[in-house]
Amino acid sequence: MGEYSHDPVFQNFIAEAKTHGVVWTLANGEDLLVVESVDFEDTDVMPFWSSQEAALVHCSDEWSDYKPEAIPLDVFCEGWLQEMYDDGVLIGTNWDESLNGPEVEPREILEALALVQ
């Protein structure tokens, strides 16, 4: 496992996503929220949350036009993660109100989900 295997925010994201079978992103019509990484230069991050409520907190100020959008976990794993990996996009997991949280590679999400029963 990667460096986030013991991070409680990351583990909570994995556990809730597996339990509920869905992850949440922010969308404005066809536009999905993508931000610049604070950890890695010239790298984009697409944030995801394990609950609609946690995603909704971020729909204000500059992101007030965005709304939480549910993505079934199987669709996320079988399509989205591969595409993000191919594009070099990291995944933000359960960022808090200050946009703090793990930025992980798509393979780390797949590996962690595979370990959850």
Side-chain angles (χ1 to χ4, degrees), residues 9 47-49 54-55 57-58 63 92-102:
V9 173
F48 290 90
W49 293 269
V57 167
H58 300 278
W63 298 341
T93 57
N94 279 354
W95 285 356
D96 65 18
E97 296 83 2
S98 301
L99 304 180
N100 294 315

Side-chain angles (χ1 to χ4, degrees), residues 16-83:
E16 289 186 352
K18 188 78 169 193
T19 298
H20 300 296
V22 66
V23 295
W24 296 84
T25 190
L26 298 183
N28 180 1
E30 294 292 316
D31 294 328
L32 300 174
L33 183 66
V34 177
V35 298
E36 291 182 17
S37 172
V38 295
D39 295 330
F40 304 98
E41 192 172 317
D42 298 323
T43 302
D44 288 333
V45 180
M46 184 176 281
F48 290 90
W49 293 269
S50 57
S51 74
Q52 182 178 12
E53 296 78 18
L56 191 59
V57 167
H58 300 278
C59 297
S60 61
D61 299 326
E62 65 183 290
W63 298 341
S64 62
D65 292 335
Y66 287 83
K67 303 289 181 246
E69 183 172 303
I71 302 163
L73 191 59
D74 60 337
V75 173
F76 180 67
C77 290
E78 294 169 14
W80 287 60
L81 291 177
Q82 183 62 50
E83 188 173 325

Side-chain angles (χ1 to χ4, degrees), residues 1-3 81 85 91 104-112:
M1 278 296 301
E3 65 181 285
L81 291 177
Y85 176 81
I91 299 168
V104 300
E105 292 185 23
R107 68 171 172 73
E108 291 185 75
I109 301 284
L110 280 175
E111 289 172 2

